[in-house]
Amino acid sequence: MTEGRFPEGFLWGVATAAYQIEGAVAEDGRGESIWDRFSHTPGKVYQGHTGDVACDHYHRYRADVEEMARLGVGAYRFSVAWPRIFPQGRGQANPKGLDFYRRLIDALRERGIVPVVTLYHWDLPQALQERGGWAHRDTAYRFADYAAYLFDRLDEAVPYWITQNEPFVVAILGHVTGEHAPGLQDPMAGFRAAHHLLLSHALALQAYREGGRRHGRIGITLNLSPVEPAGDDPEDEAAARRLDGLLNRWFLDPLFRGAYPSDMVAHFAGLGLPLPEPPQEEMRAIAAPIDFLGVNYYSRQLVRHEPGEPLMAMRQVEGPLPKTAMGWEVYPEGLRRLLERLRHEYTGELPILITENGAAFDDAVSPDGAVHDPARVAYLRDHLLAVSRAIDDGVPVRGYFLWSLMDNFEWAHGYSKRFGVLYVDFDTQARIWKDSAHWYRRVIEANAVVD
Ligand code: LGS
C-alpha cells in the first residue's frame, strides 16, 4: 500500500475513560470508587484536583457524541464505571447506572459510531478495596460477575469488549509506587494484584465464551513499550531486559504462553520474594484465546543498571529525544518496532487494535480563538506513519484510537496535562477544536495520513 494509506475498513477512533471525563460522581446511585477516595486525599493529586465534575460528560454526552460525529470517527472507546453498575462492587445492581451507558450507546449508534467498551479503567468500587481490592483473589470473581452482567445486557450493541486496561499500571502504580489509587507501597500486593487482574480477565473471558450466543469480540489492553539500555554496557542491557520483563513480558507471557517469564521469576526469587504460585488451571485460563490485543503506546523507556535500587536494580534515565509535556520522549519508530515484535513473538495473525496513542502539550487558546497544537499534529502524524508501515509489513493492525477525544482528568496530574484533540475550558465546559482535531478529521476522511 502507498505510504501512509490505511486498508479499507480500518477503524478510526478516539478514546476516553469514565473517571477521567464523566463527573456526576454522586448521581443516579453511583457508588464511591477508589479514585474518588484517592483524589480527595490531600497530597495525592496535583493541586487537589478530583474527578467530581471532570468534563461533565455524564450530562453532556449527547453533545460529545455530536463532536465525534463531526470528527468522522467510526468508533469510540470508553469505559464503564463499575460503581455506577454495582455501587458496592457486588450484590445489588443499580439500573440507573446501566441506563446511562444504554443512552450513550444509542446516541453513538444513531451516528453510526461503533462502541468499544472497556470494563475496567481503574475505578474500582471502594467497597471492594475495603475487602482487599485487587490484591485479593475474590475481586477477580466479582469482576467476572460485573462483566457477565454487562455482557448479558449490552452485547448485541457492543462489537468490541476490553476486559482490563493496563494491568501493569494498576498493579505497579497502584500498589508498589503508590502514585495511583489505592496508593499502596507494597511489592507483594503488587504481584498479587497483577495476577488477580490477569485472572479477572480470564474469568470474564470465560463468562463471555460460555454465556450463550454473543455478537462481539473480546480482548485486553496492555501498555507496552520498547525498553532500551541507556548505554552499551552489558549491565545496562541486562537492566533493560529486566524492565522489559516486568513492563511487557510479565503480562504478554501469561496471556500468550501461559506462564510468567522464567528469567523474572528467577530474578525475584533471588531477592527472596515469595511470589504467588498460581494454580495451573488459572494460568491455562489466562492463556485462553482472545479475539484481539489492545495496545496502548506512548513512548519508550531508557534504563541504566543501578545496583542500589530495590527490586529491579535499575533506574530510568532521561533520553535525548524531544519530549511531550509529560516529559516522555517522542519515539514513533518504537511503535513500529513494538508491533513487529508482537507479531513475531506473541500475537502472530491475531488482530491488534491501537487502543491509545497520543500526547500532552501545553495548549492554550490563541487570541484568534483557535488552539494551535503543531507538536501534537506532528506526534500523531509520525505515529500513524509508523502504524501504516507496520501494516505494510504484515502486522494485522485493525484500528487506531487517539487518546484522547478531549482534555480530561489525567490521574495524579489532575487537569494540568491536556491530551485532547478537543480543548476543554474547565470553567465553562466549552469544547474547542484544536488544530489536531481538524487534522484528524481529514485523516479519517482520506483514510490516509495527510499533511
Ligand atoms: O490518560 C491515560 C493515558 C495518558 O498517558 C489513560 O487513562 C491511561 O490508560 C494511559 O496510561 N495513559 C497514558 N499512559 C502513558 C504511559 C507512558 C509511559 C511513558 C514513560 C516514558 C518515560
Side-chain angles (χ1 to χ4, degrees), residues 157-194:
V158 176
Y160 295 93
W161 294 97
I162 294 167
T163 54
Q164 288 288 348
N165 177 66
E166 303 191 342
F168 168 88
V169 172
V170 177
I172 304 300
L173 276 65
H175 299 76
V176 182
T177 70
E179 296 159 78
H180 281 187
L184 304 183
Q185 293 186 321
D186 173 355
M188 285 318 299
F191 282 113
R192 286 200 304 276

Side-chain angles (χ1 to χ4, degrees), residues 20 173 179-180 298-299 316 318 322-330 358-362 376 379 403 408-419:
Q20 296 181 271
L173 276 65
E179 296 159 78
H180 281 187
Y298 289 89
S299 186
Q316 280 163 263
E318 207 188 296
K323 304 195 178 55
T324 71
M326 300 295 284
W328 303 335
E329 286 185 302
V330 178
F361 289 103
D362 294 325
R376 181 174 292 101
Y379 178 101
W403 186 272
N408 59 51
F409 177 79
E410 181 48 38
W411 308 113
H413 300 278
Y415 299 97
S416 68
K417 301 295 176 206
R418 295 179 174 273
F419 276 90

Side-chain angles (χ1 to χ4, degrees), residues 27 34 85 96 159 165 208 250 359 375 405 442:
E27 255 167 270
I34 57 174
I85 309 297
K96 285 192 173 162
N165 177 66
Y208 194 71
W250 199 261
L405 168 66
R442 292 194 290 119

Side-chain angles (χ1 to χ4, degrees), residues 414-434:
Y415 299 97
S416 68
K417 301 295 176 206
R418 295 179 174 273
F419 276 90
V421 290
L422 303 187
Y423 180 95
V424 176
D425 176 333
F426 290 102
D427 294 325
T428 63
Q429 292 294 350
R431 276 64 160 146
I432 302 168
W433 280 46
K434 300 180 191 177

